[in-house]
Amino acid sequence: NFSHILETMVFNQILNDYVIVRTIGRGSYGTVELIENKITKEQFALKTIEIIKPEEQIDIINEIKISGRIYQK
């Protein structure tokens, strides 16, 4: 599955530049990890989302939109 391969590549690239410090939380669709840049030590939250069923995609897209609005403020 191409999308799974792409997701794995993106996640591996993140792990090349960042280290996972700890799990911040878990939700219905995935987990939130505190990650830290290996060079600058700057920290970010990384949310990983697991899509199991196609009908979950709309809910997940809505969650991404809401998260985007929260973090932009």
Side-chain angles (χ1 to χ4, degrees):
N1 184 331
F2 178 74
S3 64
H4 179 65
I5 292 169
L6 183 59
E7 292 164 9
T8 303
M9 289 171 56
V10 169
F11 191 71
N12 286 339
Q13 182 60 45
I14 290 170
L15 291 180
N16 283 337
D17 297 334
Y18 295 87
V19 61
I20 297 174
V21 177
R22 65 181 169 89
T23 299
I24 296 173
R26 297 186 193 281
S28 303
Y29 297 109
T31 60
V32 178
E33 308 284 352
L34 177 64
I35 61 173
E36 183 176 88
N37 185 290
K38 292 177 180 178
I39 297 170
T40 68
K41 305 300 182 193
E42 191 173 11
Q43 295 184 333
F44 299 93
L46 172 68
K47 185 169 194 172
T48 57
I49 300 172
E50 182 177 344
I51 300 174
I52 298 171
K53 302 173 190 167
E55 57 269 16
E56 292 177 340
Q57 291 181 3
I58 292 173
D59 293 335
I60 292 170
I61 290 169
N62 288 333
E63 184 173 343
I64 292 168
K65 288 178 182 177
I66 290 168
S67 296
R69 285 190 218 120
I70 291 170
Y71 295 121
Q72 289 175 0
K73 293 185 178 185

